[in-house]
Structures are given as structure tokens and as C-alpha cells.
């Protein structure tokens, strides 16, 4: 099945979904990233467009940035999905795991666009998803944290066994499914080459802290 991947800023769950589906023989035909029109970056992860382009280029997949404001988020996505279907996509894939409301939302968008929903991580253990992404060799850089539950020292850190152990000690969900943290994946089995990046300034928004990651040499593996 030809599918477009929901690529919420290039996080580990989206990447693991892409990996699993490709492993099963499905054909990825693009990465759909919802972009915050006001901020000029991806929604939720706040990823720089040039860095997203670098990720897509290394994965050798077309990037479909979809600008949207909050109230028009779902309609903008559906319009982009209808265009993807017209270009040959059969399905839309998500990295959601076990929150019923998220799945219902995903399926509603697919119905509106006439695509089949694919959720290859659905029902899996949350912690196992995070551990598998690490075992597979994906370089998941912690981009955002909820500082009500996690310390800012984790920002910019690569998710590895040591980081997973620290998350466990802090008592949060290892996969960050409740919004504890978000990652950006910059290397791994599906990448043709590591994505070069630089760590920038620390940004704070209400209870969220983020590290600014931009395209360019500096912190690439």
C-alpha cells in the first residue's frame, strides 16, 4: 500500500511508524508536516523548515509542509490529504499508540480524504516503542520538554539507554505519549546520511521548554 506518513516534526513515533510500515512492504510516498503559520515552524515540535527539508532529503521522500492555523488545522490537513490521494496515496499513517481520542481523530481525517488509516504502533507497549527506536539505531534528539515534570538538562540530549533510565527514575512515560517530551530524529536505518544540525538557544513557552535546532554543521553525529 502506498502511504503518506504523518510526520509531526520528525519525532520518534512517526519515524518508528514509517520504519514498521516500510518493513512490512508498504511504500512511503511522502511526509506530511503540519506547519504553524504564525510561527513558521512545525506544530508541537517547533522544527525549523530547513531542518525538516534536510530530514526529508536524507530519507529520500518528498516533504509536504501544510500551513495551518489552530481553528483550520483539520481542514488544512484534509485538503492536503486529498491532494496526496490524487497523487497516488492509498493510506495515511500515524504514530499514535493507545489514546482512543487520537485514533478517532486520525480516522475522521482519513474518511474525509478517502484514505485508509494505518496505525502500526497501535496497542503496543509505550516503553517498548521508545526502547525499540533506540535499539534500531535512530538518533532521537530531545527537542521539547514539559518542565513541570522534566528538567531542562535533557534538552538536546540523544535518547539512549541512559536517557531512558533517567526518564524511568523521574517517573514519566518513557515514550512521552502524554506530552512529557518530544524528539526530532536525525539519523538511523532509513536515513541515507546523518542530518547536520546545530543547537541554538533555549526557548520557554508557559510550561514548555525547547531547544532551537537548526540545519547546519555543529552537532551532527
Amino acid at each position: 500500500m502506498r502511504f503518506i506518513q504523518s510526520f509531526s516534526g520528525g519525532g520518534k513515533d512517526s519515524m518508528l511508524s514509517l520504519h514498521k510500515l516500510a518493513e512490512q512492504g508498504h511504500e512511503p510516498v511522502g511526509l506530511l508536516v503540519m506547519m504553524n503559520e504564525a510561527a513558521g515552524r512545525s506544530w508541537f515540535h517547533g522544527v525549523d523548515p530547513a531542518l525538516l527539508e534536510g530530514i526529508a532529503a536524507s530519507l529520500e521522500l518528498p516533504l509536504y509542509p501544510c500551513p495551518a492555523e489552530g481553528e483550520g488545522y483539520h481542514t488544512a490537513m484534509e485538503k492536503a490529504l486529498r491532494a496526496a490521494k490524487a497523487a497516488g496515496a492509498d493510506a495515511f499513517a500515524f504514530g499514535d499508540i493507545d489514546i482512543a481520542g487520537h485514533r478517532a481523530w486520525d480516522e475522521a481525517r482519513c474518511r474525509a480524504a478517502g484514505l485508509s488509516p494505518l496505525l502500526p504502533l497501535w496497542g503496543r507497549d509505550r516503553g517498548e516503542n521508545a526502547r525499540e527506536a533506540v535499539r534500531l539505531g535512530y538518533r532521537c534528539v530531545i527537542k521539547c520538554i514539559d518542565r513541570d515534570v522534566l528538567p531542562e538538562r535533557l534538552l538536546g540530549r540523544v535518547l539512549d539507554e541512559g536517557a531512558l533510565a533517567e526518564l524511568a527514575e523521574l517517573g514519566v512515560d518513557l515514550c512521552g505519549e502524554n506530552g512529557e517530551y518530544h524528539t526530532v530524529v536525525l539519523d538511523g536505518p532509513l536515513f541515507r546520511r546523518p542530518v547536520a544540525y546545530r543547537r541554538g538557544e533555549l526557548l520557554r513557552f508557559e510550561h514548555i521548554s525547547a531547544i532551537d535546532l537548526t540545519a547546519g554543521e555543529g552537532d551532527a553525529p
Side-chain angles (χ1 to χ4, degrees), residues 37-109:
E37 281 188 309
R41 291 174 175 248
S42 69
W43 276 98
F44 311 117
H45 293 63
V47 181
D48 171 71
L51 189 59
L52 287 167
E53 289 168 6
I55 293 168
S58 182
L59 291 170
E60 296 185 349
L61 288 171
L63 180 69
Y64 294 100
C66 181
E69 292 293 351
E71 291 184 2
Y73 187 99
H74 69 288
T75 53
M77 176 181 279
E78 289 166 9
K79 181 178 179 181
L81 291 178
R82 284 190 286 270
K85 181 180 180 181
D90 306 303
F92 189 29
F94 303 87
D96 290 301
I97 302 169
D98 59 14
I99 299 176
H102 290 184
R103 178 167 190 152
W105 192 92
D106 298 342
E107 291 174 343
R109 304 289 76 74

